[in-house]
Amino acid sequence: MQQWDVIVIGAGAAGLMCAIEAGKRGRSVLVLDNGKRVGRKILMSGGGRCNFTNMYAAPENFLSQNKHFCKSALSRYTQWDFIALVQKHAIAYHEKTLGQLFCDDSAKDIVDMLLSEAKAANVQIALQQNISDVSFADGQYTVITPELSRRCHSVVVASGGLSLPNLGATAFGFQLAEQFGLKVLPLRAALVPLTWQPSDKAVFEEISGVSLPVTAEANGTMFPEDMLFTHRGLSGPAILQISSYWQPGDEVLVNMAPQTDLVEFLTAQQQAHPEQEVKTALGKLLPKRLVEKLLELNVFANQPLKALNPKSIKQIADSLHGYIFKPNGTEGYRTAEVTIGGVDTDYLSSKTMEAKQQPGLYFIGEVVDVTGWLGGYNFQWAWASGWVAGQYC
């Protein structure tokens, strides 16, 4: 029977950060993971370059049933703290857009950095470990795998959510929370493409690959970014962002020309080119294949601009500034970047990430009901929640 101070379950962003911090405190730390390699989600994120944080990360960029819970961790380990760690390891990085920071070279640089820090803190890592049972008695936890039983004073659950099951995602963390009496809030896929209704699919799948800058809105929240038409539905950053706020049955309101007042634009085109057709004028602003589809759907009638009166110009403008899609659903966990919901934060200390009613049991990262926007925010939550737990476990 091996004895450890801390066993961390999950060798992802949150788990490795926690293990490093606990190891620095002189704790004996073992990280267990069910995969063949550490940091699988880190390695595939950001197209293989890892969008490791966001310069503008703040509590308002996160969804949770308790929107105040994340404030403590995010204020104590900030994006600037993680950037300083990246700089310490001389990893070259750049800002892509909107504060999103990516490695210049490869996401492997971030994993190598974490492994280097873990080694310096005497952290041990064991891979391909399938945990069959975790129990608590006499102030200690027993963690059982087919090969070995291990005892420890603290267990940190950093096993992630249900997103990207091909990377080894399981419900283990949620099941463990419930085993120890913590509430798990309803789970759903987020930062995920939305799928077509059959009628829309028949029309729009032909313009798969077309993208344009839009604002996408659902339930009073709006995101300005690109939208991409796919064979299955709508994707692109604006849609991934709004998917976190969208609920089944909801509409998504899309402004296809957010930077242009279409009434002014069409009126000016009418005065300058009265013989020009409506679709030709709109083709100056929108992808031509999209304009053809909107014409096919009778969003507007194709006629010379001189035939339009102010009312018909406003109708065209309104329909494009507020085009309504009613998605059929999402692509689900297979392509979702994160899982919304998870361990209810009411059952955790925001100061330590420890379960209030179960001493020595901690939950960090995606398994917790804290979900960030697209753009490095979820990694920042992983670093921050992991760092915090590592000070106490």
Side-chain angles (χ1 to χ4, degrees):
M1 179 77 73
Q2 287 187 359
Q3 181 72 44
W4 299 85
D5 292 328
V6 184
I7 291 179
V8 179
I9 300 173
L16 291 173
M17 178 61 87
C18 175
I20 290 162
E21 288 301 312
K24 285 180 186 175
R25 291 170 45 232
R27 306 283 277 165
S28 62
V29 184
L30 174 67
V31 182
L32 301 177
D33 195 277
N34 65 354
K36 292 181 180 178
R37 58 196 306 195
V38 304
R40 286 168 286 174
K41 217 168 177 181
I42 298 172
L43 290 167
M44 61 76 64
S45 70
R49 288 194 170 175
C50 187
N51 179 193
F52 56 81
T53 192
N54 194 294
M55 292 196 297
Y56 306 120
E60 50 268 28
N61 305 122
F62 295 83
L63 292 83
S64 175
Q65 189 162 280
N66 175 0
K67 63 179 184 289
H68 301 293
F69 180 83
C70 65
K71 290 179 178 178
S72 175
L74 291 171
S75 67
R76 284 149 64 211
Y77 191 84
T78 70
Q79 56 269 43
W80 308 110
D81 293 315
F82 191 77
I83 290 166
L85 182 61
V86 168
Q87 291 172 338
K88 171 187 157 187
H89 285 262
I91 296 172
Y93 66 91
H94 61 278
E95 180 190 359
K96 195 171 179 183
T97 54
L98 304 170
Q100 301 170 24
L101 300 184
F102 288 78
C103 298
D104 282 2
D105 185 24
S106 166
K108 189 172 179 294
D109 293 342
I110 299 294
V111 173
D112 289 345
M113 173 189 80
L114 294 169
L115 288 175
S116 172
E117 291 282 325
K119 184 178 180 182
N122 294 312
V123 171
Q124 301 296 308
I125 299 172
L127 299 174
Q128 294 180 281
Q129 302 288 308
N130 291 305
I131 297 167
S132 55
D133 187 58
V134 178
S135 59
F136 179 75
D138 302 324
Q140 288 212 85
Y141 292 89
T142 303
V143 179
I144 297 175
T145 61
E147 304 80 29
L148 201 57
S149 294
R150 301 171 173 97
R151 281 212 182 110
C152 61
H153 300 292
S154 298
V155 167
V156 183
V157 183
S159 52
L162 299 177
S163 52
L164 302 172
N166 61 325
L167 292 183
T170 71
F172 177 85
F174 306 121
Q175 293 162 354
L176 195 63
E178 289 177 334
Q179 176 191 327
F180 283 99
L182 283 75
K183 183 179 178 183
V184 175
L185 296 172
L187 306 169
R188 60 187 175 88
L191 300 184
V192 62
L194 301 173
T195 57
W196 296 125
Q197 299 281 359
S199 56
D200 284 335
K201 178 178 171 64
V203 176
F204 287 112
E205 67 178 346
E206 291 179 12
I207 60 168
S208 175
V210 168
S211 70
L212 69 161
V214 302
T215 60
E217 182 179 352
N219 292 312
T221 300
M222 179 190 293
F223 287 97
E225 280 240 46
D226 282 3
M227 179 177 82
L228 171 69
F229 288 87
T230 75
H231 289 293
R232 293 182 295 273
L234 292 171
S235 189
I239 296 300
L240 298 185
Q241 293 279 36
I242 210 64
S243 71
S244 296
Y245 295 83
W246 177 86
Q247 298 279 358
D250 289 345
E251 295 174 338
V252 175
L253 195 69
V254 174
N255 183 346
M256 295 189 182
Q259 304 296 327
T260 305
D261 183 319
L262 283 172
V263 170
E264 287 183 7
F265 172 78
L266 288 171
T267 302
Q269 289 291 308
Q270 184 184 50
Q271 290 167 355
H273 312 285
E275 300 296 334
Q276 184 175 265
E277 292 184 330
V278 175
K279 77 170 186 179
T280 307
L282 291 175
K284 296 176 182 178
L285 275 182
L286 304 175
K288 289 181 173 58
R289 290 166 66 198
L290 173 59
V291 173
E292 293 283 356
K293 283 297 168 191
L294 296 172
L295 180 59
E296 194 179 305
L297 288 166
N298 297 316
V299 173
F300 62 89
N302 196 30
Q303 53 191 320
L305 290 172
K306 66 181 182 184
L308 300 179
N309 58 35
K311 182 181 176 185
S312 54
I313 287 176
K314 186 174 187 305
Q315 283 174 337
I316 295 171
D318 288 348
S319 63
L320 297 178
H321 281 314
Y323 195 88
I324 293 172
F325 289 100
K326 192 162 185 181
N328 193 41
T330 76
E331 288 194 9
Y333 293 116
R334 181 181 63 81
T335 57
E337 297 201 14
V338 289
T339 305
I340 277 191
V343 177
D344 189 336
T345 57
D346 287 351
Y347 289 74
L348 302 175
S349 160
S350 62
K351 181 184 176 185
T352 66
M353 307 302 293
E354 187 176 19
K356 292 175 180 175
Q357 308 301 323
Q358 183 61 47
L361 182 63
Y362 299 76
F363 290 84
I364 57 175
E366 193 184 344
V367 75
V368 179
D369 174 39
V370 175
T371 306
W373 289 2
L374 183 74
Y377 298 98
N378 287 292
F379 274 127
Q380 186 55 39
W381 169 246
W383 312 133
S385 60
W387 185 91
V388 163
Q391 310 308 308
Y392 297 94
C393 64

PDB file of all heavy atoms in Angstrom, residues 135-170:
ATOM      1  N   SER A 135     -12.311   5.557  -1.602  1.00  0.00           N
ATOM      2  CA  SER A 135     -13.047   5.487  -0.334  1.00  0.00           C
ATOM      3  C   SER A 135     -12.348   6.332   0.717  1.00  0.00           C
ATOM      4  O   SER A 135     -11.179   6.718   0.563  1.00  0.00           O
ATOM      5  CB  SER A 135     -13.169   4.041   0.141  1.00  0.00           C
ATOM      6  OG  SER A 135     -11.876   3.481   0.308  1.00  0.00           O
ATOM      7  N   PHE A 136     -13.088   6.626   1.804  1.00  0.00           N
ATOM      8  CA  PHE A 136     -12.565   7.488   2.867  1.00  0.00           C
ATOM      9  C   PHE A 136     -12.839   6.838   4.209  1.00  0.00           C
ATOM     10  O   PHE A 136     -13.961   6.445   4.496  1.00  0.00           O
ATOM     11  CB  PHE A 136     -13.241   8.856   2.796  1.00  0.00           C
ATOM     12  CG  PHE A 136     -12.795   9.821   3.855  1.00  0.00           C
ATOM     13  CD1 PHE A 136     -11.566  10.443   3.784  1.00  0.00           C
ATOM     14  CD2 PHE A 136     -13.626  10.110   4.944  1.00  0.00           C
ATOM     15  CE1 PHE A 136     -11.151  11.344   4.768  1.00  0.00           C
ATOM     16  CE2 PHE A 136     -13.228  11.013   5.922  1.00  0.00           C
ATOM     17  CZ  PHE A 136     -11.979  11.636   5.839  1.00  0.00           C
ATOM     18  N   ALA A 137     -11.801   6.708   5.033  1.00  0.00           N
ATOM     19  CA  ALA A 137     -11.961   6.163   6.382  1.00  0.00           C
ATOM     20  C   ALA A 137     -10.784   6.608   7.236  1.00  0.00           C
ATOM     21  O   ALA A 137      -9.648   6.704   6.748  1.00  0.00           O
ATOM     22  CB  ALA A 137     -12.018   4.631   6.337  1.00  0.00           C
ATOM     23  N   ASP A 138     -11.060   6.892   8.498  1.00  0.00           N
ATOM     24  CA  ASP A 138     -10.015   7.267   9.464  1.00  0.00           C
ATOM     25  C   ASP A 138      -9.151   8.429   8.965  1.00  0.00           C
ATOM     26  O   ASP A 138      -7.928   8.438   9.135  1.00  0.00           O
ATOM     27  CB  ASP A 138      -9.116   6.060   9.786  1.00  0.00           C
ATOM     28  CG  ASP A 138      -9.919   4.880  10.335  1.00  0.00           C
ATOM     29  OD1 ASP A 138     -10.891   5.140  11.077  1.00  0.00           O
ATOM     30  OD2 ASP A 138      -9.581   3.733  10.002  1.00  0.00           O
ATOM     31  N   GLY A 139      -9.818   9.395   8.302  1.00  0.00           N
ATOM     32  CA  GLY A 139      -9.101  10.587   7.864  1.00  0.00           C
ATOM     33  C   GLY A 139      -8.218  10.405   6.652  1.00  0.00           C
ATOM     34  O   GLY A 139      -7.437  11.299   6.307  1.00  0.00           O
ATOM     35  N   GLN A 140      -8.328   9.257   5.987  1.00  0.00           N
ATOM     36  CA  GLN A 140      -7.505   9.008   4.798  1.00  0.00           C
ATOM     37  C   GLN A 140      -8.352   8.476   3.651  1.00  0.00           C
ATOM     38  O   GLN A 140      -9.392   7.838   3.855  1.00  0.00           O
ATOM     39  CB  GLN A 140      -6.413   7.993   5.111  1.00  0.00           C
ATOM     40  CG  GLN A 140      -5.312   8.511   5.999  1.00  0.00           C
ATOM     41  CD  GLN A 140      -3.978   7.864   5.657  1.00  0.00           C
ATOM     42  OE1 GLN A 140      -3.259   8.317   4.763  1.00  0.00           O
ATOM     43  NE2 GLN A 140      -3.662   6.795   6.355  1.00  0.00           N
ATOM     44  N   TYR A 141      -7.873   8.738   2.450  1.00  0.00           N
ATOM     45  CA  TYR A 141      -8.518   8.215   1.242  1.00  0.00           C
ATOM     46  C   TYR A 141      -7.739   7.014   0.732  1.00  0.00           C
ATOM     47  O   TYR A 141      -6.502   6.984   0.811  1.00  0.00           O
ATOM     48  CB  TYR A 141      -8.575   9.291   0.152  1.00  0.00           C
ATOM     49  CG  TYR A 141      -9.508  10.420   0.492  1.00  0.00           C
ATOM     50  CD1 TYR A 141      -9.052  11.530   1.197  1.00  0.00           C
ATOM     51  CD2 TYR A 141     -10.856  10.365   0.138  1.00  0.00           C
ATOM     52  CE1 TYR A 141      -9.914  12.566   1.542  1.00  0.00           C
ATOM     53  CE2 TYR A 141     -11.726  11.394   0.481  1.00  0.00           C
ATOM     54  CZ  TYR A 141     -11.245  12.485   1.180  1.00  0.00           C
ATOM     55  OH  TYR A 141     -12.099  13.486   1.529  1.00  0.00           O
ATOM     56  N   THR A 142      -8.477   6.046   0.212  1.00  0.00           N
ATOM     57  CA  THR A 142      -7.854   4.920  -0.482  1.00  0.00           C
ATOM     58  C   THR A 142      -8.292   4.969  -1.939  1.00  0.00           C
ATOM     59  O   THR A 142      -9.490   5.009  -2.235  1.00  0.00           O
ATOM     60  CB  THR A 142      -8.272   3.575   0.137  1.00  0.00           C
ATOM     61  OG1 THR A 142      -7.918   3.581   1.527  1.00  0.00           O
ATOM     62  CG2 THR A 142      -7.558   2.423  -0.554  1.00  0.00           C
ATOM     63  N   VAL A 143      -7.324   5.025  -2.842  1.00  0.00           N
ATOM     64  CA  VAL A 143      -7.583   5.090  -4.281  1.00  0.00           C
ATOM     65  C   VAL A 143      -7.113   3.769  -4.886  1.00  0.00           C
ATOM     66  O   VAL A 143      -5.925   3.434  -4.804  1.00  0.00           O
ATOM     67  CB  VAL A 143      -6.848   6.279  -4.929  1.00  0.00           C
ATOM     68  CG1 VAL A 143      -7.108   6.331  -6.424  1.00  0.00           C
ATOM     69  CG2 VAL A 143      -7.277   7.593  -4.269  1.00  0.00           C
ATOM     70  N   ILE A 144      -8.044   3.046  -5.488  1.00  0.00           N
ATOM     71  CA  ILE A 144      -7.742   1.702  -5.966  1.00  0.00           C
ATOM     72  C   ILE A 144      -7.748   1.657  -7.497  1.00  0.00           C
ATOM     73  O   ILE A 144      -8.691   2.113  -8.144  1.00  0.00           O
ATOM     74  CB  ILE A 144      -8.759   0.686  -5.404  1.00  0.00           C
ATOM     75  CG1 ILE A 144      -8.640   0.630  -3.867  1.00  0.00           C
ATOM     76  CG2 ILE A 144      -8.538  -0.709  -5.997  1.00  0.00           C
ATOM     77  CD1 ILE A 144      -9.672  -0.243  -3.195  1.00  0.00           C
ATOM     78  N   THR A 145      -6.670   1.118  -8.053  1.00  0.00           N
ATOM     79  CA  THR A 145      -6.612   0.775  -9.478  1.00  0.00           C
ATOM     80  C   THR A 145      -6.374  -0.739  -9.537  1.00  0.00           C
ATOM     81  O   THR A 145      -5.994  -1.344  -8.533  1.00  0.00           O
ATOM     82  CB  THR A 145      -5.468   1.511 -10.197  1.00  0.00           C
ATOM     83  OG1 THR A 145      -4.228   1.106  -9.592  1.00  0.00           O
ATOM     84  CG2 THR A 145      -5.620   3.018 -10.088  1.00  0.00           C
ATOM     85  N   PRO A 146      -6.584  -1.360 -10.711  1.00  0.00           N
ATOM     86  CA  PRO A 146      -6.387  -2.815 -10.800  1.00  0.00           C
ATOM     87  C   PRO A 146      -5.000  -3.273 -10.329  1.00  0.00           C
ATOM     88  O   PRO A 146      -4.849  -4.360  -9.789  1.00  0.00           O
ATOM     89  CB  PRO A 146      -6.591  -3.103 -12.285  1.00  0.00           C
ATOM     90  CG  PRO A 146      -7.521  -2.037 -12.746  1.00  0.00           C
ATOM     91  CD  PRO A 146      -7.150  -0.810 -11.959  1.00  0.00           C
ATOM     92  N   GLU A 147      -3.984  -2.404 -10.522  1.00  0.00           N
ATOM     93  CA  GLU A 147      -2.617  -2.814 -10.194  1.00  0.00           C
ATOM     94  C   GLU A 147      -2.263  -2.569  -8.731  1.00  0.00           C
ATOM     95  O   GLU A 147      -1.414  -3.262  -8.171  1.00  0.00           O
ATOM     96  CB  GLU A 147      -1.595  -2.050 -11.066  1.00  0.00           C
ATOM     97  CG  GLU A 147      -1.795  -2.169 -12.562  1.00  0.00           C
ATOM     98  CD  GLU A 147      -2.889  -1.244 -13.093  1.00  0.00           C
ATOM     99  OE1 GLU A 147      -3.109  -0.185 -12.489  1.00  0.00           O
ATOM    100  OE2 GLU A 147      -3.534  -1.616 -14.086  1.00  0.00           O
ATOM    101  N   LEU A 148      -2.905  -1.563  -8.111  1.00  0.00           N
ATOM    102  CA  LEU A 148      -2.349  -1.051  -6.861  1.00  0.00           C
ATOM    103  C   LEU A 148      -3.407  -0.326  -6.043  1.00  0.00           C
ATOM    104  O   LEU A 148      -4.334   0.278  -6.595  1.00  0.00           O
ATOM    105  CB  LEU A 148      -1.225  -0.055  -7.228  1.00  0.00           C
ATOM    106  CG  LEU A 148      -0.155   0.280  -6.215  1.00  0.00           C
ATOM    107  CD1 LEU A 148       0.569  -0.992  -5.758  1.00  0.00           C
ATOM    108  CD2 LEU A 148       0.834   1.246  -6.844  1.00  0.00           C
ATOM    109  N   SER A 149      -3.259  -0.367  -4.720  1.00  0.00           N
ATOM    110  CA  SER A 149      -4.051   0.488  -3.830  1.00  0.00           C
ATOM    111  C   SER A 149      -3.122   1.546  -3.249  1.00  0.00           C
ATOM    112  O   SER A 149      -1.986   1.243  -2.864  1.00  0.00           O
ATOM    113  CB  SER A 149      -4.675  -0.335  -2.705  1.00  0.00           C
ATOM    114  OG  SER A 149      -5.629  -1.229  -3.219  1.00  0.00           O
ATOM    115  N   ARG A 150      -3.610   2.783  -3.168  1.00  0.00           N
ATOM    116  CA  ARG A 150      -2.775   3.871  -2.661  1.00  0.00           C
ATOM    117  C   ARG A 150      -3.579   4.655  -1.619  1.00  0.00           C
ATOM    118  O   ARG A 150      -4.775   4.876  -1.804  1.00  0.00           O
ATOM    119  CB  ARG A 150      -2.349   4.805  -3.794  1.00  0.00           C
ATOM    120  CG  ARG A 150      -1.564   4.130  -4.914  1.00  0.00           C
ATOM    121  CD  ARG A 150      -1.394   5.102  -6.074  1.00  0.00           C
ATOM    122  NE  ARG A 150      -0.524   4.608  -7.127  1.00  0.00           N
ATOM    123  CZ  ARG A 150      -0.952   4.016  -8.240  1.00  0.00           C
ATOM    124  NH1 ARG A 150      -2.250   3.788  -8.425  1.00  0.00           N
ATOM    125  NH2 ARG A 150      -0.092   3.642  -9.163  1.00  0.00           N
ATOM    126  N   ARG A 151      -2.903   5.120  -0.590  1.00  0.00           N
ATOM    127  CA  ARG A 151      -3.553   5.938   0.430  1.00  0.00           C
ATOM    128  C   ARG A 151      -3.011   7.354   0.370  1.00  0.00           C
ATOM    129  O   ARG A 151      -1.850   7.576   0.017  1.00  0.00           O
ATOM    130  CB  ARG A 151      -3.306   5.354   1.829  1.00  0.00           C
ATOM    131  CG  ARG A 151      -4.188   4.165   2.158  1.00  0.00           C
ATOM    132  CD  ARG A 151      -4.500   4.121   3.653  1.00  0.00           C
ATOM    133  NE  ARG A 151      -5.310   2.930   3.929  1.00  0.00           N
ATOM    134  CZ  ARG A 151      -4.882   1.867   4.595  1.00  0.00           C
ATOM    135  NH1 ARG A 151      -3.644   1.832   5.048  1.00  0.00           N
ATOM    136  NH2 ARG A 151      -5.680   0.841   4.822  1.00  0.00           N
ATOM    137  N   CYS A 152      -3.866   8.311   0.767  1.00  0.00           N
ATOM    138  CA  CYS A 152      -3.430   9.706   0.780  1.00  0.00           C
ATOM    139  C   CYS A 152      -4.308  10.513   1.732  1.00  0.00           C
ATOM    140  O   CYS A 152      -5.404  10.078   2.105  1.00  0.00           O
ATOM    141  CB  CYS A 152      -3.487  10.310  -0.622  1.00  0.00           C
ATOM    142  SG  CYS A 152      -5.133  10.315  -1.337  1.00  0.00           S
ATOM    143  N   HIS A 153      -3.819  11.699   2.081  1.00  0.00           N
ATOM    144  CA  HIS A 153      -4.587  12.603   2.947  1.00  0.00           C
ATOM    145  C   HIS A 153      -5.543  13.474   2.136  1.00  0.00           C
ATOM    146  O   HIS A 153      -6.608  13.854   2.623  1.00  0.00           O
ATOM    147  CB  HIS A 153      -3.631  13.477   3.755  1.00  0.00           C
ATOM    148  CG  HIS A 153      -2.704  12.697   4.633  1.00  0.00           C
ATOM    149  ND1 HIS A 153      -3.137  11.991   5.735  1.00  0.00           N
ATOM    150  CD2 HIS A 153      -1.367  12.481   4.556  1.00  0.00           C
ATOM    151  CE1 HIS A 153      -2.113  11.391   6.310  1.00  0.00           C
ATOM    152  NE2 HIS A 153      -1.021  11.664   5.605  1.00  0.00           N
ATOM    153  N   SER A 154      -5.150  13.806   0.903  1.00  0.00           N
ATOM    154  CA  SER A 154      -5.975  14.670   0.047  1.00  0.00           C
ATOM    155  C   SER A 154      -6.141  14.062  -1.337  1.00  0.00           C
ATOM    156  O   SER A 154      -5.169  13.544  -1.907  1.00  0.00           O
ATOM    157  CB  SER A 154      -5.326  16.058  -0.109  1.00  0.00           C
ATOM    158  OG  SER A 154      -5.215  16.709   1.139  1.00  0.00           O
ATOM    159  N   VAL A 155      -7.365  14.144  -1.861  1.00  0.00           N
ATOM    160  CA  VAL A 155      -7.643  13.757  -3.242  1.00  0.00           C
ATOM    161  C   VAL A 155      -8.120  15.004  -3.980  1.00  0.00           C
ATOM    162  O   VAL A 155      -9.037  15.698  -3.515  1.00  0.00           O
ATOM    163  CB  VAL A 155      -8.719  12.657  -3.324  1.00  0.00           C
ATOM    164  CG1 VAL A 155      -9.219  12.492  -4.764  1.00  0.00           C
ATOM    165  CG2 VAL A 155      -8.174  11.330  -2.824  1.00  0.00           C
ATOM    166  N   VAL A 156      -7.490  15.288  -5.109  1.00  0.00           N
ATOM    167  CA  VAL A 156      -7.900  16.422  -5.943  1.00  0.00           C
ATOM    168  C   VAL A 156      -8.459  15.873  -7.251  1.00  0.00           C
ATOM    169  O   VAL A 156      -7.756  15.157  -7.977  1.00  0.00           O
ATOM    170  CB  VAL A 156      -6.721  17.373  -6.236  1.00  0.00           C
ATOM    171  CG1 VAL A 156      -7.212  18.578  -7.049  1.00  0.00           C
ATOM    172  CG2 VAL A 156      -6.056  17.826  -4.943  1.00  0.00           C
ATOM    173  N   VAL A 157      -9.710  16.200  -7.531  1.00  0.00           N
ATOM    174  CA  VAL A 157     -10.374  15.694  -8.734  1.00  0.00           C
ATOM    175  C   VAL A 157     -10.250  16.742  -9.834  1.00  0.00           C
ATOM    176  O   VAL A 157     -10.835  17.827  -9.751  1.00  0.00           O
ATOM    177  CB  VAL A 157     -11.848  15.352  -8.459  1.00  0.00           C
ATOM    178  CG1 VAL A 157     -12.498  14.769  -9.710  1.00  0.00           C
ATOM    179  CG2 VAL A 157     -11.965  14.376  -7.286  1.00  0.00           C
ATOM    180  N   ALA A 158      -9.464  16.407 -10.860  1.00  0.00           N
ATOM    181  CA  ALA A 158      -9.221  17.299 -11.995  1.00  0.00           C
ATOM    182  C   ALA A 158      -9.451  16.509 -13.279  1.00  0.00           C
ATOM    183  O   ALA A 158      -8.670  16.590 -14.228  1.00  0.00           O
ATOM    184  CB  ALA A 158      -7.802  17.849 -11.938  1.00  0.00           C
ATOM    185  N   SER A 159     -10.526  15.728 -13.266  1.00  0.00           N
ATOM    186  CA  SER A 159     -10.755  14.745 -14.345  1.00  0.00           C
ATOM    187  C   SER A 159     -11.517  15.321 -15.537  1.00  0.00           C
ATOM    188  O   SER A 159     -11.821  14.593 -16.478  1.00  0.00           O
ATOM    189  CB  SER A 159     -11.510  13.542 -13.781  1.00  0.00           C
ATOM    190  OG  SER A 159     -12.670  13.965 -13.090  1.00  0.00           O
ATOM    191  N   GLY A 160     -11.827  16.628 -15.504  1.00  0.00           N
ATOM    192  CA  GLY A 160     -12.458  17.256 -16.667  1.00  0.00           C
ATOM    193  C   GLY A 160     -13.936  16.953 -16.791  1.00  0.00           C
ATOM    194  O   GLY A 160     -14.553  16.375 -15.898  1.00  0.00           O
ATOM    195  N   GLY A 161     -14.497  17.373 -17.947  1.00  0.00           N
ATOM    196  CA  GLY A 161     -15.918  17.169 -18.216  1.00  0.00           C
ATOM    197  C   GLY A 161     -16.139  16.047 -19.208  1.00  0.00           C
ATOM    198  O   GLY A 161     -15.324  15.132 -19.329  1.00  0.00           O
ATOM    199  N   LEU A 162     -17.249  16.148 -19.943  1.00  0.00           N
ATOM    200  CA  LEU A 162     -17.622  15.102 -20.890  1.00  0.00           C
ATOM    201  C   LEU A 162     -17.229  15.447 -22.324  1.00  0.00           C
ATOM    202  O   LEU A 162     -17.405  14.630 -23.223  1.00  0.00           O
ATOM    203  CB  LEU A 162     -19.144  14.874 -20.836  1.00  0.00           C
ATOM    204  CG  LEU A 162     -19.708  14.423 -19.481  1.00  0.00           C
ATOM    205  CD1 LEU A 162     -21.221  14.318 -19.551  1.00  0.00           C
ATOM    206  CD2 LEU A 162     -19.103  13.094 -19.053  1.00  0.00           C
ATOM    207  N   SER A 163     -16.695  16.643 -22.531  1.00  0.00           N
ATOM    208  CA  SER A 163     -16.377  17.069 -23.894  1.00  0.00           C
ATOM    209  C   SER A 163     -15.178  16.310 -24.448  1.00  0.00           C
ATOM    210  O   SER A 163     -14.255  15.957 -23.711  1.00  0.00           O
ATOM    211  CB  SER A 163     -16.112  18.573 -23.933  1.00  0.00           C
ATOM    212  OG  SER A 163     -15.164  18.934 -22.964  1.00  0.00           O
ATOM    213  N   LEU A 164     -15.205  16.064 -25.745  1.00  0.00           N
ATOM    214  CA  LEU A 164     -14.156  15.365 -26.483  1.00  0.00           C
ATOM    215  C   LEU A 164     -13.862  13.976 -25.902  1.00  0.00           C
ATOM    216  O   LEU A 164     -12.754  13.701 -25.425  1.00  0.00           O
ATOM    217  CB  LEU A 164     -12.875  16.216 -26.528  1.00  0.00           C
ATOM    218  CG  LEU A 164     -13.051  17.606 -27.154  1.00  0.00           C
ATOM    219  CD1 LEU A 164     -11.807  18.438 -26.971  1.00  0.00           C
ATOM    220  CD2 LEU A 164     -13.409  17.493 -28.624  1.00  0.00           C
ATOM    221  N   PRO A 165     -14.854  13.087 -25.946  1.00  0.00           N
ATOM    222  CA  PRO A 165     -14.660  11.737 -25.385  1.00  0.00           C
ATOM    223  C   PRO A 165     -13.532  10.957 -26.058  1.00  0.00           C
ATOM    224  O   PRO A 165     -12.947  10.069 -25.442  1.00  0.00           O
ATOM    225  CB  PRO A 165     -16.019  11.056 -25.619  1.00  0.00           C
ATOM    226  CG  PRO A 165     -16.711  11.875 -26.661  1.00  0.00           C
ATOM    227  CD  PRO A 165     -16.208  13.272 -26.481  1.00  0.00           C
ATOM    228  N   ASN A 166     -13.197  11.307 -27.312  1.00  0.00           N
ATOM    229  CA  ASN A 166     -12.096  10.604 -27.982  1.00  0.00           C
ATOM    230  C   ASN A 166     -10.744  10.908 -27.335  1.00  0.00           C
ATOM    231  O   ASN A 166      -9.755  10.233 -27.594  1.00  0.00           O
ATOM    232  CB  ASN A 166     -12.062  10.951 -29.481  1.00  0.00           C
ATOM    233  CG  ASN A 166     -11.852  12.430 -29.721  1.00  0.00           C
ATOM    234  OD1 ASN A 166     -12.330  13.278 -28.962  1.00  0.00           O
ATOM    235  ND2 ASN A 166     -11.149  12.777 -30.777  1.00  0.00           N
ATOM    236  N   LEU A 167     -10.707  11.939 -26.464  1.00  0.00           N
ATOM    237  CA  LEU A 167      -9.488  12.237 -25.708  1.00  0.00           C
ATOM    238  C   LEU A 167      -9.530  11.604 -24.323  1.00  0.00           C
ATOM    239  O   LEU A 167      -8.695  11.907 -23.467  1.00  0.00           O
ATOM    240  CB  LEU A 167      -9.291  13.756 -25.576  1.00  0.00           C
ATOM    241  CG  LEU A 167      -8.975  14.524 -26.857  1.00  0.00           C
ATOM    242  CD1 LEU A 167      -8.738  15.995 -26.555  1.00  0.00           C
ATOM    243  CD2 LEU A 167      -7.757  13.934 -27.560  1.00  0.00           C
ATOM    244  N   GLY A 168     -10.536  10.749 -24.095  1.00  0.00           N
ATOM    245  CA  GLY A 168     -10.590  10.025 -22.822  1.00  0.00           C
ATOM    246  C   GLY A 168     -11.513  10.613 -21.784  1.00  0.00           C
ATOM    247  O   GLY A 168     -11.473  10.210 -20.621  1.00  0.00           O
ATOM    248  N   ALA A 169     -12.349  11.593 -22.173  1.00  0.00           N
ATOM    249  CA  ALA A 169     -13.269  12.204 -21.211  1.00  0.00           C
ATOM    250  C   ALA A 169     -14.269  11.174 -20.693  1.00  0.00           C
ATOM    251  O   ALA A 169     -14.791  10.360 -21.455  1.00  0.00           O
ATOM    252  CB  ALA A 169     -14.018  13.357 -21.875  1.00  0.00           C
ATOM    253  N   THR A 170     -14.513  11.222 -19.378  1.00  0.00           N
ATOM    254  CA  THR A 170     -15.493  10.334 -18.756  1.00  0.00           C
ATOM    255  C   THR A 170     -16.275  11.121 -17.703  1.00  0.00           C
ATOM    256  O   THR A 170     -15.945  12.269 -17.385  1.00  0.00           O
ATOM    257  CB  THR A 170     -14.828   9.137 -18.045  1.00  0.00           C
ATOM    258  OG1 THR A 170     -14.152   9.616 -16.869  1.00  0.00           O
ATOM    259  CG2 THR A 170     -13.828   8.426 -18.944  1.00  0.00           C
TER     260      THR A 170
END
